[in-house]
Amino acid sequence: MDGEKIHEVAWGLANSKQPFLRAARPGIVHNSEWLEMLPNRFVEATRGRGMIIKWAPQQEIISHGAVGCFWTHNDWNSTLGSICKGVPMICAPFFGDQLVNARYVSDVWSVGINLEKGLEREEIDCAIRKLMVEEVLMITSFL
């Protein structure tokens, strides 16, 4: 990701006003330190409801009852893990089978939202609110 996309994701999270845990590994933005990649005022805007960590045990996180949705690039392991745990997804695929998996998640199985416009803060905010506040996807009926 480039710095602009990181900022769009960050402001999408902040603007949603929803609690979040984000794993962002060091080096995700070329020539940038780990937290240096965040936009100014982001930490203040999310204080008390957001946490950014370098790494997370993905399956343990998805399995936790407090998780309302899972942001994924839709590799098969992440997609299947989320479906098996009944957690709706925000899909942000990059290439290859991730694109097909995301399309199935959103358009065929109806267990998530595909970010059609890419990483734009308004679409991210809307997707988070839709899954966390407005709509409860019944993934258990899919299984």
Side-chain angles (χ1 to χ4, degrees):
M1 278 193 201
D2 63 24
E4 182 180 333
K5 288 179 183 173
I6 290 291
H7 284 211
E8 288 296 304
V9 170
W11 286 122
L13 283 169
N15 294 343
S16 76
K17 304 290 188 220
Q18 299 303 305
F20 67 90
L21 172 66
R22 178 169 183 206
R25 71 180 187 278
I28 194 168
V29 176
H30 187 65
N31 291 328
S32 176
E33 293 298 321
W34 183 56
L35 290 177
E36 179 183 285
M37 66 186 175
L38 295 172
N40 294 332
R41 299 182 317 277
F42 174 77
V43 173
E44 296 85 31
T46 61
R47 188 174 315 279
R49 66 179 174 83
M51 181 180 290
I52 299 177
I53 57 177
K54 293 179 180 180
W55 180 86
Q58 183 173 300
Q59 290 306 311
E60 289 179 42
I61 299 292
I62 294 172
S63 298
H64 196 280
V67 174
C69 71
F70 175 57
W71 179 300
T72 178
H73 62 282
N74 289 103
D75 68 318
W76 187 241
N77 288 335
S78 297
T79 300
L80 191 58
S82 191
I83 290 171
C84 288
K85 295 299 180 183
V87 177
M89 290 165 265
I90 295 176
C91 306
F94 288 104
F95 61 89
D97 68 329
Q98 297 170 3
L99 301 166
V100 174
N101 296 342
R103 184 67 59 202
Y104 266 84
V105 164
S106 63
D107 296 353
V108 178
W109 301 325
S110 299
V111 294
I113 297 172
N114 194 6
L115 298 176
E116 299 287 338
K117 297 177 185 174
L119 301 177
E120 294 183 7
R121 68 183 72 187
E122 293 83 13
E123 187 177 21
I124 292 166
D125 175 16
C126 182
I128 293 169
R129 288 175 190 263
K130 186 170 185 172
L131 291 180
M132 298 288 292
V133 178
E134 299 170 14
E135 188 174 310
V136 176
L137 294 177
M138 297 304 295
I139 294 180
T140 53
S141 64
F142 172 75
L143 300 174

